Amino acid sequence: MSELTDLYQEVILDHNKAPRNFGVLENADRTADGHNPLCGDMLRVSLVLEGDVVQDIRFEGSGCAISKASASIMTEAVKGKRVAEVEALFEGFHELMTGDPSVKGEAGAELGKLAVFEGVREFPVRVKCATLAWHTLEAALREDGKVASTE
Ligand code: ZN
């Protein structure tokens, strides 16, 4: 295992142990649930939108280390961002998770801490754990009342 992978793993373990923005927002104006039946991960994302800016965001739920760490890092990444920026981040993250490993798009450079999930790409089943929080966030932003599912 490379040193880089160790570092990434440390970040994931840290966020799993001490998730950031964990809980429910009492004054949330958008909420969505997400479910990854393959692994059993369940998430709820709640957020406060002010205009088109994600003013505040929290998540709760139970799941594996990767799903929890991904949700935790996601909340940090999107807080204070405009919806269009959030969508660009999701696109970049999705590309990182599913794209050609030899291609690093422009979006990749903007991902910051989200890049710790790069190694997850090697494990297709785990990719769903890592992207669940993002699908749930999308559902909350769309507010269509559907439960986001990775299946
Ligand atoms: Zn999982």
Side-chain angles (χ1 to χ4, degrees):
M1 203 181 278
S2 72
E3 268 173 50
L4 193 65
T5 313
D6 283 349
L7 175 73
Y8 281 3
Q9 227 162 19
E10 232 167 81
V11 174
I12 290 172
L13 289 176
D14 173 51
H15 276 266
N16 175 51
K17 216 167 62 186
R20 322 300 198 265
N21 303 306
F22 191 80
V24 188
L25 281 174
E26 294 300 332
N27 57 336
D29 42 35
R30 301 289 177 97
T31 304
D33 293 312
H35 184 207
N36 175 17
L38 220 60
C39 177
D41 308 315
M42 308 272 279
L43 286 179
R44 170 167 289 175
V45 170
S46 55
L47 58 98
V48 174
L49 264 190
E50 221 173 88
D52 68 338
V53 174
V54 178
Q55 204 61 43
D56 207 354
I57 179 165
R58 300 245 173 103
F59 82 98
E60 61 165 358
S62 59
C64 65
I66 291 182
S67 68
K68 244 165 99 180
S70 178
S72 172
I73 292 172
M74 177 192 80
T75 58
E76 283 195 319
V78 304
K79 206 182 211 173
K81 293 248 170 35
R82 310 177 89 89
V83 171
E85 291 173 301
V86 170
E87 269 157 18
L89 269 181
F90 182 31
E91 222 169 274
F93 186 66
H94 202 261
E95 214 163 90
L96 180 81
M97 289 288 99
T98 58
D100 181 340
S102 64
V103 180
K104 287 231 168 150
E106 259 173 64
E110 308 286 315
L111 286 176
K113 226 189 233 176
L114 296 172
V116 299
F117 293 97
E118 193 174 3
V120 173
R121 185 166 53 202
E122 318 286 325
F123 310 95
V125 171
R126 290 303 191 185
V127 166
K128 295 185 171 176
C129 301
T131 53
L132 176 64
W134 289 90
H135 287 295
T136 311
L137 171 62
E138 277 261 291
L141 289 172
R142 280 198 313 267
E143 207 177 36
D144 55 12
K146 285 191 197 129
V147 174
S149 177
T150 53
E151 292 305 300

